[in-house]
Amino acid sequence: MGDERSIVGVMRSMGLADEVVTRVSRLWGKSAARNGGRTHLLLGHLLDTAAVAGAMWDRYLSAAFRRRLDEISGGRGRLWFMWVCGIHDCGKACPAFQAMDAAEAAPVLAAGLTWGRLPADRQKRWRHDVAGAALLMPRLVAEWGGEEAAGWVWPLVAGHHGTFPSAAALRPPRGAQGRGAAWEEAQRAVVDVFTRAVGFEDLADARPVGSLRKAEQLALSGLIVMADWIASDSSRFPGLADAGLISFAGARRRAEAAWERLRLRGGWRDLPVPENPLDPLACRLGVRPRASQRELVERAWSMPAPGLLVAEAPMGEGKTKAALAATEVLAARFGLDGVFVAMPTQATSDPMYEQVLQWVRTFDPELESQVALLHGRRRFNAWWRAVWDGKPRPDGEGCGCEGGGRRGAVDMAGDDFGAIDEDADYGMVSAPLSADRAAGPGGDGPAYWFLGDKRGLLTAFAVGTVDHLLHAATRTRHVMLRFAGLAGKVVVVDEVHAADVYMRQFLVEALRWLGQAGVPVVLLSATLPPAQRQRCVDAYLSGVLGTADVHQPVPEPAGYPCVTVAYGAGGRAVAETSQEAVRPWREPAPVRLSWLPDTDLAGARVAAAVRKAVAGGGVALVVVNQVDRAQAVYRDLRDKGFDGVLHLLHARLCAAHRADRTAECLRLMGPQAGGARPERMVVIATQLAEQSFDVDADVLITDLAPTDLLLQRIGRLHRHSGTRRPAAHRVPRVLVTGVAPGRDGAPRFLRASERIYGEWSLLRAAALVTEAAGVLTAADAGEPAAAGWSIPADVPALVARAYGDAGICPAGWNEAGAGEQWQAKEREREKNAEEYLLCRRREWVFPTLEGLHYAGSRAASEEQLDAVVRDGDPSVEVVVVRRTSDGYRAVDGTWLGVHGEVDDDEVTDRLMGGTVRLPSRLTDAAQAELGPLPGWAGRPWLRYRPALVLEEDGTRLLGADRVSYDDVLGLVIVREAR
């Protein structure tokens, strides 16, 4: 355990004067009032944090990051990591901090460390993180022989409360930093005594021999915050007010016990390199490698350094499994410790979480408890509940967790929804984990600490919405904690084409930082426009090379599927792509397209076409671009009688209904459907069915969408081999609707489609469909044109033409005017995104984190942060509740009590099953009129959730809209007549 001497003994051995020893022994770091009733001395907290850092080095940090810290410290990475984590709070040795608690200040004053009147204004308060940097910087410059090493280390201290100030902010208000010999000696002693106690001879001995790159500094900053937060837990690190009881050996014992009790751990821990190149696919995942999968894995083997892989392959080709296999190769070769898989939506994250859970279990069953699902509705995922909440497994086996179901969802460290709440900025205090929750026998259970605010990505293996990756590229508070969760992992981004121009700004920014941090990234897409592929490559390489404007032309792929790789070698950028055509798993098949002209919200023509399409049997998928239209088509079919299975799926269904219905659709038309597939079935859906929805339809009726998204929808057609189909559906057929002929033969679109996608991309999609389906006329389509599209062979060319520079629309469609409008809007959206990007373009080459938060960090709530990275108007999630004569009931009828009281986990689950996101047009009214029920105050999952209370007639007025909830239709919104 090392040096058992107390810090008093260390100070005496250093020859410090008695009065200095006394003064340093009085400086407090945690007040009794905020530390479980026990004062904790400043040096005690610094040593606790250093000791936690030692445990993190041994059991959490990736081999790659340990290697980098060894490189910059002359082989003393562990010692230097402990020092830099522990020194973070040295700025508490100043009057501005010591005066904050009168009871704690009294002994400090009595020892001769005095101060005058200090600024009372909160805005002018001298914060201890900045004070620490001001205290350290001149000493580091003097004792480390210049500003180069000091320049990147002091921002790590200044930024440990979530934001990085500029050097100009290091000037203290009068008297706040402490004046006179007594303060100067005490501050010097705090740094020197801590440095000696940890294991360096003196401050000069701690000088790094090299520097980390800026992205690595950001990751290190997040790890410092992590160590500080763990060491600040008074239940694990009780206060010590007697300096004679504080030693580094004691701190290490405390840290070991806390680490075990919190069940914290890293991921693979030095994953061995697979013996056979294709073992990660064939043995681990049990797949017979397809050509495209083999190509991706072989590229992961051949890259000489961590890099970017872009895999483009048809829908259903097995990209995800190939990405997981490539992840294993990259992690083993380059010393990474886990993976983050980013998905476009919550709905697509759930099946991916289950797939990653099964994959991780093949390395070590104990790793199952280290797989986190990061989105706001994870509570409704049965596997998540089994692993993290001790509930029964979906397959009926025991949960494998200690304790019973009642451990449930109580006290989720205040992180009620999504693992990305910014609770601190609301003034919300995280609920402490109950002792029985975080403890328990064995170290193989879940580490609930990771469920706290902003910590989700720190879990070794994580699956979640892409927002988590994008948030790590925003200039927001504690961004370093998010980024630390990505560094040391392999990052996989699925359905990357789903990011629009605004989201791409954050994706590109994230790629730049990940490239500089040496994080391998795998991007998956059905296909990317060439310009988008090029931009991703350039961004990653600009990170690798540390310069702002890298442009390394990506060669034209030899065919489709294809893999593009980018990495740095010997200080130069390399971009390569598949030079030999890779055969797709499925042979290209003709898809017949025809028009179904209809821009009526009621969708009567669509309903009629559906009836006709499945009159002789078959499964039809209808994808429309707005919820109201989906509801109208469903009503038409239901009310006029439909002889078959009928389902409606959209984003305004409450969580429980949406989950149940998605699962039922997958059961009936997914890859395992077999004999369960109905003779006649129709699913009417919105864009939810566009991606990662593994169903097989015989015929598709879809509103027009941009070409790449239209192709995604077509990817649900004839998707699974071996599916039995009626003879009429032997050839896949698509009816394109949501469009009608306008003046001069130019198409007219649904207003909702134009609002979502813009006129230009719809015009170009319509032009390409016209080439295959013939000219759009007002009459219903007859037989589909013979030309059609060959899928997947035509996919790359269609997407390239759709987003290329050449005109493709017939004369009279005003393509040029629409294009100018579109480009102007794209430029405006790019400019809007720049406001929140982590780094200004001209600052990318700056070598340190100084001034990173030059404009503050404005996004406070999760909703605001989501709006920041998705460019949407903010929307609100509510819990639907029905008022009855005797109180309140959940959506499913569960009785809640007179004030909405919820008395156990099962009732909470049923109630939360009624969660639904309101359309953004209702946001203002919801924020003004809705709030939690009185009975929810004591429930962590509910206390901040607004209730949408429906009156006894099943409706309520919300702003100018009459809102109701139908168990089948979902949320129904009708504008109230004035």
Side-chain angles (χ1 to χ4, degrees), residues 327-351:
T327 294
E328 180 180 351
V329 173
L330 294 166
R333 290 186 63 218
F334 300 121
L336 289 314
D337 200 42
V339 64
F340 172 56
V341 183
M343 302 297 294
T345 62
Q346 293 181 354
T348 55
S349 298
D350 279 343

Side-chain angles (χ1 to χ4, degrees), residues 486-552:
L486 296 172
K489 287 184 172 68
V490 179
V491 173
V492 178
V493 188
D494 200 4
E495 312 274 13
V496 75
H497 55 267
D500 63 17
V501 67
Y502 184 91
M503 290 169 69
R504 278 201 298 276
Q505 301 296 303
F506 296 99
L507 177 62
V508 161
E509 181 75 355
L511 289 173
R512 209 183 333 261
W513 284 82
L514 292 170
Q516 193 176 72
V519 174
V521 178
V522 184
L523 302 181
L524 305 178
S525 178
T527 187
L528 282 175
Q532 197 173 330
R533 183 194 308 133
Q534 182 69 58
R535 196 162 173 213
C536 290
V537 164
D538 288 346
Y540 190 88
L541 289 173
S542 77
V544 170
L545 299 185
T547 56
D549 294 302
V550 173
H551 178 67
Q552 183 64 33

Side-chain angles (χ1 to χ4, degrees), residues 781-803:
E783 280 304 303
W789 288 340
S790 176
I791 302 295
D794 289 348
V795 168
L798 287 167
V799 172
R801 290 181 65 204
Y803 291 98

Side-chain angles (χ1 to χ4, degrees), residues 162-432:
T163 56
F164 296 100
S166 63
L170 303 190
R171 289 193 282 271
R174 184 181 176 85
Q177 186 75 352
R179 286 184 293 176
W183 272 111
E184 195 176 315
E185 287 169 348
Q187 290 168 344
R188 189 174 188 88
V190 166
V191 173
D192 290 343
V193 173
F194 166 74
T195 301
R196 175 73 67 86
V198 168
F200 283 114
E201 284 297 312
D202 51 29
L203 190 58
D205 188 32
R207 179 183 184 273
V209 299
S211 60
L212 293 178
R213 310 182 82 195
K214 184 161 66 175
E216 295 168 330
Q217 294 167 32
L218 189 66
L220 174 58
S221 175
L223 295 169
I224 292 169
V225 174
M226 178 179 173
D228 179 26
W229 285 11
I230 293 170
S232 295
D233 180 349
S234 61
S235 67
R236 315 270 177 248
F237 295 86
L240 295 171
D242 181 348
L245 299 176
I246 293 172
S247 69
F248 190 42
R252 289 171 71 170
R253 284 190 287 270
R254 285 151 63 93
E256 284 291 318
W259 192 268
E260 290 292 334
R261 199 163 170 76
L262 288 170
R263 291 173 160 162
L264 299 172
R265 61 163 290 166
W268 283 306
R269 312 306 293 145
D270 304 317
L271 184 66
V273 175
E275 290 181 14
N276 185 303
L278 292 179
D279 277 356
L281 265 175
C283 299
R284 173 114 26 231
L285 288 161
V287 301
R288 206 169 177 184
R290 297 168 180 169
S292 62
Q293 294 174 318
R294 183 182 281 110
E295 170 87 350
L296 182 60
V297 173
E298 286 173 352
R299 287 287 181 170
W301 278 108
S302 66
M303 275 198 306
L308 173 73
L309 296 104
V310 186
E312 297 170 69
M315 297 67 78
E317 185 75 15
K319 293 186 290 291
T320 306
K321 281 191 165 66
L324 293 180
T327 294
E328 180 180 351
V329 173
L330 294 166
R333 290 186 63 218
F334 300 121
L336 289 314
D337 200 42
V339 64
F340 172 56
V341 183
M343 302 297 294
T345 62
Q346 293 181 354
T348 55
S349 298
D350 279 343
M352 180 58 69
Y353 168 68
E354 288 155 35
Q355 191 169 336
V356 170
L357 201 60
Q358 291 168 3
W359 173 65
V360 164
R361 204 186 288 138
T362 65
F363 294 95
D364 179 353
E366 285 190 7
L367 288 177
E368 178 184 72
S369 62
Q370 309 303 314
V371 186
L373 175 60
L374 306 182
H375 69 64
R377 294 183 178 176
R378 64 185 177 208
R379 185 182 176 89
F380 304 104
N381 182 286
W383 279 102
W384 167 268
R385 299 300 301 274
V387 174
W388 286 79
D389 277 1
K391 302 288 183 184
R393 289 182 178 277
D395 57 16
E397 295 176 20
C399 71
C401 306
E402 305 295 337
R406 279 310 300 264
R407 284 169 61 211
V410 184
D411 290 332
M412 276 289 193
D415 179 30
D416 298 341
F417 252 46
I420 47 176
D421 280 351
E422 303 283 355
D423 284 354
D425 293 336
Y426 273 139
M428 300 177 193
V429 179
S430 290

Side-chain angles (χ1 to χ4, degrees), residues 744-756:
D744 304 324
R748 188 165 42 84
F749 308 116
L750 280 165
R751 282 176 60 191
S753 300
E754 266 196 70
R755 192 174 65 248
I756 298 165

